[in-house]
Amino acid sequence: MADLMNQNRRDARPAEHTRPGRFEAGAVLGVVAREWILYTQSWRSTTFAAVVEPTLYLLCFGFGMGALVGTLAGYSYIDFLGTGIVAVSVMFQSMMPAVINTFIKRRFLHTYEGILAAPVDVREVVTGEALWLALRSGVYGCVPLLVAIAFGLRPGPGALLVPFIAFLAGFAFALFGIWISAVISSVRSMDYVFSGLFTPLFLVAGTFFPVTELPSWVQLLASANPLYHAVELVRGAVFGGIGAGQVLVHVGVLLAFTALMWFLASHRMRRRVVS
């Protein structure tokens, strides 16, 4: 009888604790499929916000500042800005939903408790959520580039790589946002994130002006900014002229940032929803 009771206790333990090291692509795709179904119910409003906001940034700053600046770093200002806005749009479309939606689903809707009742691991949930946001932001992030093309930008053949760059950056920033959502303890904490983190990230990334025009210590900080590397990759792909060594550095930084954020997000989310 005692052996039977012990076996029942072992069977009643959460799957999270009985299958260490488990990671299945099917579970990740299941999380992505769930997000896709939810997206089909709200795609109009989501698409409106994702398209209109970066387009307004591009048109207002591009034509307004462009009339004063003319050319910058050898490119017309609207071309320079358009390539930078692509990466910024990716960050906003991946990182912000990751912070807000993940926090709400964890803290108020208890969505992850239901998902983890199925044979799904925390790491699979984190990966699936980030993968969906990366796919979505990778598509929406190309909108500013299309707008810039409509206003005269003539991209090189490397522009075909932009969606892949956007996907990689979106995956990294989505994981960053998920980690932040698991760190903060209240909705009010998001004010610190948006004002104290988002703003410096996109201002010191070479989006609106070359980083080389900034003081040396700011340039050093920019080199640690993953958005800066995403901007450089997009700009290099569209205009060309970027060396293989530079590409390896930018991609390497984004990959390292992705790996770090995946580990931190998975670890912190496990503590939040399992412990």
Side-chain angles (χ1 to χ4, degrees):
M1 178 64 70
D3 292 340
L4 180 61
M5 292 177 65
N6 290 332
Q7 180 65 38
N8 290 336
R9 290 193 188 98
R10 286 194 295 270
D11 293 340
R13 290 175 185 171
E16 181 71 30
H17 299 289
T18 59
R19 286 170 288 137
R22 175 184 178 278
F23 189 89
E24 296 181 2
V28 174
L29 294 178
V31 175
V32 174
R34 177 186 181 277
E35 294 301 318
W36 165 256
I37 293 171
L38 294 175
Y39 170 76
T40 58
Q41 301 172 9
S42 60
W43 69 270
R44 292 178 179 84
S45 59
T46 302
T47 302
F48 178 81
V51 171
V52 170
E53 185 173 352
T55 302
L56 289 177
Y57 265 110
L58 179 58
L59 295 179
C60 293
F61 280 94
F63 286 108
M65 293 294 294
L68 300 175
V69 177
T71 60
L72 191 62
Y75 311 106
S76 70
Y77 187 70
I78 194 168
D79 291 351
F80 181 88
L81 180 64
T83 51
I85 289 292
V86 170
V88 171
S89 177
V90 168
M91 184 187 75
F92 276 95
Q93 290 301 319
S94 57
M95 192 171 169
M96 287 188 69
V99 174
I100 299 172
N101 296 348
T102 305
F103 182 84
I104 291 174
K105 285 189 284 188
R106 176 181 63 81
R107 185 70 179 272
F108 301 110
L109 301 181
H110 304 288
T111 301
Y112 299 124
E113 294 176 9
I115 293 177
L116 292 175
V120 180
D121 183 85
V122 172
R123 295 169 303 165
E124 294 163 343
V125 173
V126 169
T127 305
E129 293 267 13
L131 182 59
W132 163 248
L133 290 173
L135 290 169
R136 197 183 74 174
S137 61
V139 173
Y140 286 146
C142 294
V143 172
L145 184 61
L146 297 176
V147 174
I149 291 174
F151 283 95
L153 172 64
R154 294 294 176 262
L160 296 175
L161 297 175
V162 169
F164 301 99
I165 299 170
F167 171 80
L168 174 59
F171 190 58
F173 283 114
L175 290 169
F176 191 21
I178 292 172
W179 174 61
I180 291 173
S181 75
V183 170
I184 61 178
S185 57
S186 68
V187 174
R188 291 191 179 93
S189 300
M190 293 183 187
D191 293 334
Y192 297 107
V193 175
F194 297 147
S195 299
L197 183 60
F198 274 51
T199 303
L201 279 177
F202 84 86
L203 286 179
V204 189
T207 305
F208 300 100
F209 42 80
V211 172
T212 53
E213 300 299 322
L214 299 174
S216 57
W217 65 272
V218 180
Q219 294 182 39
L220 183 62
L221 291 177
S223 66
N225 181 359
L227 183 60
Y228 163 74
H229 296 280
V231 169
E232 290 299 302
L233 282 174
V234 172
R235 199 164 278 152
V238 173
F239 297 132
I242 184 172
Q246 293 174 297
V247 171
L248 289 176
V249 169
H250 297 316
V251 172
V253 170
L254 286 178
L255 289 175
F257 180 67
T258 300
L260 176 62
M261 287 301 107
W262 185 84
F263 173 79
L264 292 177
S266 300
H267 177 72
R268 190 66 183 182
M269 282 291 286
R270 183 187 300 274
R271 292 184 59 185
R272 285 292 194 182
V273 301
V274 175
S275 302

